[in-house]
Amino acid sequence: MAYEIECKDVTYTYPLSKKPAIKNLNLKLEKGKLYGVIGENGAGKTTLCSILRGFAPSFYKGTISGEVLIQGKPLSSYDEQISRKIGYVFQNLFTQISGIKNTVFEEVAYGLENFGVPVEEIERKVVDIMDLTDIMDLAEKSPFELSGGQMQRVALASVIVLDPEILIIDEPTSQLDPQSAESVFKIIKKLKERGKTIILIEHKVDLLAEYSDEIIVLHDSQVIKMGETRHVLSDLSLREHGIQLPQVTLLAEKLRESGMRIDELPITKKQALDLIQEKRS
Amino acid sequence: MEKTFTEKIQINKRNKIAGLYPATKLQIVILFSISTLIINSIKLTDAKLALLLIPWFALVPFMFAITGEFKKSMKSMKPIFVVAIFIIAVQTFIVSGGQTLWHWHFLSIREKGLQTAISLGFLVLNIAGMFTWMLQSTSTKEISRCFEESGMNFKVAYIFTSSLEMIKVFSKRSQTILDAQRSRGVETEGNLKVRAKAFFPTIVPLILGGIIGSEDRVLTLEARGFSIKGEHTHLFDLKKSGYERRMLVVSIIITLLIIAGRISLWRMK
Amino acid sequence: MTKNERKQFSIKEDFSMLALLIIPVGVAVNFVGGQLASLLRLPLYLDTIGTIFVAMLCGPWVGAITGLLTNILTGIANPVNFAFIPVAIIAGLVTGAFARHDYFSVWWKWLIAMVVMGAASILSAAPIVVLMFGGVTGSGASLITATFMAAGANIWGAFIGTEGLFNVLDRIISVLICLAVIKVIPNRNLIKFSCGMFYVKDREEIAEVTE
């Protein structure tokens, strides 16, 4: 069976640049999984996502070698319909609205309009997605007058309403308060339950530890580690590359240093709790 | 039953004239402008004044009234009145040539001045007035939709609407920047040099933000299928009020009558 | 691309997605610039900065559309602006033509460009102001024009004389502002515009690392 996304030795260089922004990228992403992408600033996270969606090189130009396959077919063989296959939520909040719609309802409906979906179906789908993303009460508000958290949910809704099988989400919580961040993650979890393959760039490792299946670690334009979330996030050597590890992992590490026997470091609060209970009994 | 969201975003106008299809309104404005120019060529009295333009202007407020937007439209006529009054005053008292019609101390009205005063002043009032009627009774959403329905590329409609929204966003943003500057002690009052200095740091970040932002917006729109080929759906349905034909026929008849009048005046000579 | 290579331009390439989305930015900058100038009671209009900026980056056609659209939209509030659509279009065309020929990267070239732009603006406005409005439009400068006319000056002379200086000054300041902005735009953004290559920093030696 073909992988949902496969990269074969992809190297990409931006125009005017001599150094590649992504080097020798090899990835095999499976359907229905949530992949967290971490790495310090400038490691190439956003570039990686642009490559998966084809914006690099189609929009950014530059040179690319290697091959990107989406569901077994080369990315270049897809036409504009690719935006219904791969949804992309960008990092910048305020440029994510179409800029021409007066209400959130119309904003969310915009993509479906472009794809020529019948009116009744648009209404039904948009209402469903506004419910899922908890923006029903904003439906008649102007997209220009939303708070950061509201804007991010509207942006998410506008993309997932197209029902893409693959979703790329670039730092959805970087400009949000903790509460809004949590609510965004709840939406992402629901999307995963709907069977979507999700690639998520995120700095908040505590949230990633809880929600993601696998983690891809980038450093200096290359993937330096990739694998099951607990396996990756409990790797203390990642700290050398400027990567933060979950709070509980660091705490457990301190306990281990002070003599407690811990076989596998916990990465979520729940795992830590289990560990403590196990030690007490 | 509760309205669907699609129903809520529709524009429903009670007034049949206000609800005319935007393209029909434009046709009416064009016919009116042609008529105005023809009327301008009819010169009355010995001084050869285009006096008929004055009663003809009554049609403008009349249109405002039957559209049910009298107050709002009259209010937006203000800058046009200013220009017209200015033109009339300057031309009447300053332009020389022809007979002196009236004289008082240093002020004098000459024939030629009065001719251009009435002609230009009322041409501006009439034509700009009728445009005001059209634009005040039509929302930009309707105009944008009408562009597309009349066969223009959907990108034209996008740029039109987006520009309007961008103006609002930028106005708000420039206000914020200006306020921030004031709070940091940058003067926005005082002598010219001081005020000119405040202009630069306000406009530069606006342009810069705009250009960087539009790059992101390209991708946002691509991700939403902006440039997809094929038929787009439109939730907003631009309706006709049913009075289009009637209004157009009336306008054409009036225009033809004016043309006929003009021709018969030539014959009489 | 080196300096000597001639770049080929096409209208289709001119109107890339990015160029299309720059138009609304240009329109809004025109609007806000004019608003700001009158708010700060500056003696210039400064309402063409957006058109000039767009034309400098995207060439004459996109620049012309920016000018056209600006006057259509401001015309919604005051239809008198419709009459000045040709002036707005010409501003975009002239600036864009200079941009195409790389006139904004060397100081003596952009000095020439500024003067020609100012002249084009005044010469395209003159027939409209004189023939349609009799020489005055109610603006601050037209008070001066009116005074000259009252003193017996020829209407064309009075208009071009008064507004000419203001127009050249307006263009100089507008271009300087645009150049200042372009200076801080990163290379990787610049090269996406059809005339952007002319403004790239260190044209010879580009080794910027971008993410």
Side-chain angles (χ1 to χ4, degrees):
Chain A
M1 202 197 78
Y3 288 100
E4 199 68 353
I5 299 179
E6 191 174 357
C7 293
K8 290 180 181 165
D9 203 28
V10 174
T11 297
Y12 171 75
T13 313
Y14 280 103
L16 305 181
S17 170
K18 282 179 181 154
K19 194 171 152 286
I22 282 291
K23 258 189 298 200
N24 310 108
L25 174 71
N26 285 293
L27 283 181
K28 284 175 181 161
L29 307 186
E30 287 167 45
K31 192 173 165 49
K33 279 193 175 175
L34 172 55
Y35 293 88
V37 180
I38 57 174
E40 14 165 37
N41 284 333
K45 304 189 292 290
T46 300
T47 308
L48 168 77
C49 289
S50 299
I51 291 170
L52 298 184
R53 172 59 175 75
F55 288 144
S58 77
F59 176 74
Y60 291 109
K61 309 293 177 217
T63 49
I64 193 163
S65 63
E67 205 178 14
V68 182
L69 301 171
I70 305 293
Q71 298 175 344
K73 281 196 290 178
L75 185 57
S76 50
S77 69
Y78 291 86
D79 57 4
E80 286 113 342
Q81 294 291 337
I82 191 75
S83 34
R84 290 199 87 169
K85 187 138 288 210
I86 308 180
Y88 202 127
V89 184
F90 300 90
Q91 186 177 3
N92 191 336
L93 285 179
F94 295 93
T95 49
Q96 280 207 62
I97 51 171
S98 66
I100 54 163
K101 296 295 184 184
N102 306 120
T103 65
V104 165
F105 168 74
E106 289 168 278
E107 181 64 35
V108 177
Y110 183 60
L112 294 172
E113 282 188 302
N114 287 338
F115 280 100
V117 176
V119 173
E120 302 74 40
E121 202 182 325
I122 293 184
E123 170 91 23
R124 195 165 44 71
K125 282 191 166 164
V126 173
V127 167
D128 173 48
I129 295 301
M130 288 198 302
D131 188 45
L132 177 88
T133 50
D134 198 21
I135 52 170
M136 201 61 100
D137 51 330
L138 305 176
E140 286 170 74
K141 271 189 109 175
S142 162
F144 294 96
E145 287 156 11
L146 302 174
S147 71
Q150 291 171 334
M151 188 87 90
Q152 190 58 270
R153 277 180 288 157
V154 171
L156 259 171
S158 307
V159 170
I160 54 188
V161 77
L162 295 170
D163 204 23
E165 292 157 58
I166 301 164
L167 261 168
I168 299 172
I169 311 173
D170 190 351
E171 292 204 41
T173 66
S174 62
Q175 296 168 58
L176 305 185
D177 58 85
Q179 216 174 359
S180 308
E182 190 76 44
S183 80
V184 166
F185 264 86
K186 291 225 168 80
I187 297 167
I188 293 173
K189 193 177 164 211
K190 282 190 219 164
L191 291 171
K192 196 183 159 232
E193 285 161 7
R194 289 189 174 194
K196 310 284 181 202
T197 308
I198 301 168
I199 295 118
L200 174 66
I201 301 182
E202 181 58 66
H203 273 302
K204 300 190 173 74
V205 273
D206 294 297
L207 285 170
L208 276 185
E210 203 159 323
Y211 291 97
S212 67
D213 298 302
E214 289 193 31
I215 298 284
I216 300 165
V217 187
L218 279 169
H219 176 72
D220 198 15
S221 312
Q222 276 179 304
V223 174
I224 52 166
K225 195 171 175 84
M226 187 184 163
E228 190 256 327
T229 302
R230 187 164 184 178
H231 175 68
V232 174
L233 288 184
S234 58
D235 179 355
L236 297 164
S237 70
L238 286 180
R239 286 181 294 184
E240 290 158 27
H241 299 300
I243 288 154
Q244 284 219 320
L245 295 180
Q247 293 288 330
V248 286
T249 314
L250 298 176
L251 182 69
E253 159 68 2
K254 286 269 179 260
L255 291 174
R256 192 194 253 169
E257 273 174 15
S258 66
M260 192 189 276
R261 238 203 76 213
I262 300 172
D263 301 326
E264 198 181 7
L265 289 170
I267 58 166
T268 66
K269 282 178 196 151
K270 193 174 171 302
Q271 289 163 4
L273 211 64
D274 289 347
L275 184 77
I276 293 167
Q277 262 156 5
E278 185 196 300
K279 292 286 167 202
R280 269 171 54 183
S281 56
Chain B
M1 210 190 93
E2 175 134 35
K3 274 188 177 177
T4 63
F5 288 111
T6 313
E7 281 161 357
K8 280 183 191 166
I9 61 165
Q10 304 306 321
I11 295 174
N12 293 303
K13 290 181 186 163
R14 283 249 194 82
N15 187 302
K16 297 286 183 204
I17 308 294
L20 286 176
Y21 193 71
T24 308
K25 286 182 186 168
L26 183 63
Q27 287 160 344
I28 293 171
V29 172
I30 292 171
L31 285 169
F32 176 88
S33 305
I34 294 172
S35 303
T36 308
L37 290 170
I38 295 171
I39 290 173
N40 179 46
S41 73
I42 302 174
K43 312 289 186 195
L44 300 180
T45 73
D46 290 342
K48 295 198 172 11
L49 305 176
L51 286 177
L52 284 177
L53 283 176
I54 301 171
W56 178 244
F57 178 64
L59 213 53
V60 171
F62 173 75
M63 289 302 281
F64 292 171
I66 62 167
T67 309
E69 309 255 2
F70 187 77
K71 263 198 177 153
K72 188 180 137 202
S73 308
M74 275 315 238
K75 219 176 148 188
S76 62
M77 279 290 282
K78 220 178 117 189
I80 299 163
F81 277 124
V82 171
V83 172
I85 289 170
F86 203 76
I87 291 175
I88 291 174
V90 169
Q91 302 302 321
T92 310
F93 295 111
I94 290 178
V95 175
S96 53
Q99 273 194 325
T100 305
L101 300 172
W102 181 81
H103 188 82
W104 181 76
H105 293 290
F106 60 93
L107 285 177
S108 62
I109 300 177
R110 307 275 213 110
E111 222 175 63
K112 205 160 167 248
L114 198 60
Q115 279 169 13
T116 32
I118 291 175
S119 255
L120 292 180
F122 278 89
L123 274 180
V124 168
L125 272 181
N126 274 299
I127 294 175
M130 213 44 141
F131 269 105
T132 304
W133 163 74
M134 169 176 88
L135 296 166
Q136 291 300 315
S137 64
T138 317
S139 73
T140 49
K141 194 165 160 181
E142 292 172 288
I143 297 176
S144 157
R145 189 71 200 91
C146 185
F147 278 149
E148 265 181 274
E149 281 188 355
S150 45
M152 269 192 228
N153 191 300
F154 68 96
K155 289 174 182 169
V156 174
Y158 177 89
I159 295 170
F160 176 81
T161 315
S162 167
S163 296
L164 276 166
E165 296 300 335
M166 199 71 91
I167 286 177
K168 288 186 214 158
V169 172
F170 271 37
S171 298
K172 218 187 272 174
R173 228 182 264 172
S174 73
Q175 200 53 54
T176 317
I177 299 176
L178 214 54
D179 289 343
Q181 282 186 35
R182 285 200 187 110
S183 70
R184 273 190 287 122
V186 176
E187 299 272 352
T188 53
E189 303 289 330
N191 69 35
L192 181 62
K193 207 177 141 200
V194 169
R195 282 178 279 128
K197 265 190 187 159
F199 185 84
F200 196 76
T202 313
I203 201 86
V204 169
L206 272 180
I207 310 180
L208 202 59
I211 196 164
I212 305 287
S214 40
E215 198 167 283
D216 291 351
R217 183 145 292 159
V218 171
L219 299 179
T220 299
L221 290 178
E222 288 300 348
R224 308 255 205 109
F226 179 79
S227 45
I228 202 104
K229 287 171 196 82
E231 201 53 37
H232 294 199
T233 309
H234 295 282
L235 290 178
F236 172 59
D237 181 27
L238 185 55
K239 293 176 203 71
K240 295 193 170 169
S241 76
Y243 275 48
E244 281 76 12
R245 267 186 86 99
R246 252 170 278 184
M247 285 300 289
L248 201 57
V249 167
V250 171
S251 306
I252 292 173
I253 290 173
I254 293 176
T255 311
L256 289 176
L257 283 176
I258 289 167
I259 295 175
R262 170 73 269 194
I263 294 172
S264 66
L265 277 173
W266 273 326
R267 285 260 179 88
M268 281 201 304
K269 281 179 190 165
Chain C
M1 196 181 76
T2 66
K3 263 187 186 171
N4 303 326
E5 253 174 88
R6 258 208 109 85
K7 195 176 163 188
Q8 292 294 313
F9 294 99
S10 75
I11 291 193
K12 200 180 164 230
E13 191 205 330
D14 269 8
F15 285 92
S16 66
M17 260 304 266
L18 187 58
L20 286 181
L21 294 191
I22 276 294
I23 294 172
V25 173
V27 172
V29 170
N30 283 339
F31 184 85
V32 173
Q35 219 182 25
L36 213 57
S38 73
L39 186 79
L40 294 169
R41 290 177 287 120
L42 304 180
L44 299 170
Y45 297 116
L46 297 175
D47 56 357
T48 327
I49 301 175
T51 306
I52 292 176
F53 183 74
V54 172
M56 279 169 79
L57 282 179
C58 307
W61 308 117
V62 188
I65 300 285
T66 309
L68 168 73
L69 193 59
T70 303
N71 277 47
I72 289 180
L73 294 184
T74 52
I76 291 179
N78 182 359
V80 168
N81 288 326
F82 288 144
F84 291 95
I85 286 176
V87 183
I89 292 178
I90 287 171
L93 288 178
V94 172
T95 314
F98 279 120
R100 278 279 167 87
H101 294 94
D102 194 10
Y103 261 70
F104 292 104
S105 49
V106 191
W107 70 269
W108 62 268
K109 276 186 171 178
W110 49 254
L111 261 175
I112 297 174
M114 281 171 181
V115 174
V116 176
M117 283 157 69
S121 149
I122 191 69
L123 292 179
S124 56
I128 297 168
V129 175
V130 172
L131 300 176
M132 290 178 74
F133 298 94
V136 292
T137 53
S139 70
S142 54
L143 281 173
I144 309 176
T145 313
T147 317
F148 279 122
M149 279 161 65
N154 169 286
I155 183 169
W156 293 85
F159 174 76
I160 294 177
T162 349
E163 303 251 346
L165 183 67
F166 282 107
N167 265 275
V168 174
L169 209 60
D170 195 299
R171 291 301 182 264
I172 292 178
I173 293 177
S174 302
V175 170
L176 287 178
I177 289 175
C178 295
L179 283 171
V181 174
I182 287 174
K183 221 179 171 135
V184 280
I185 299 176
N187 282 347
R188 67 196 142 105
N189 298 82
L190 280 177
I191 53 159
K192 295 198 190 88
F193 297 96
S194 70
C195 297
M197 203 62 198
F198 298 134
Y199 310 103
V200 165
K201 278 125 276 194
D202 317 313
R203 277 200 215 177
E204 316 303 318
E205 168 211 359
I206 294 154
E208 196 194 351
V209 180
T210 42
E211 200 223 1

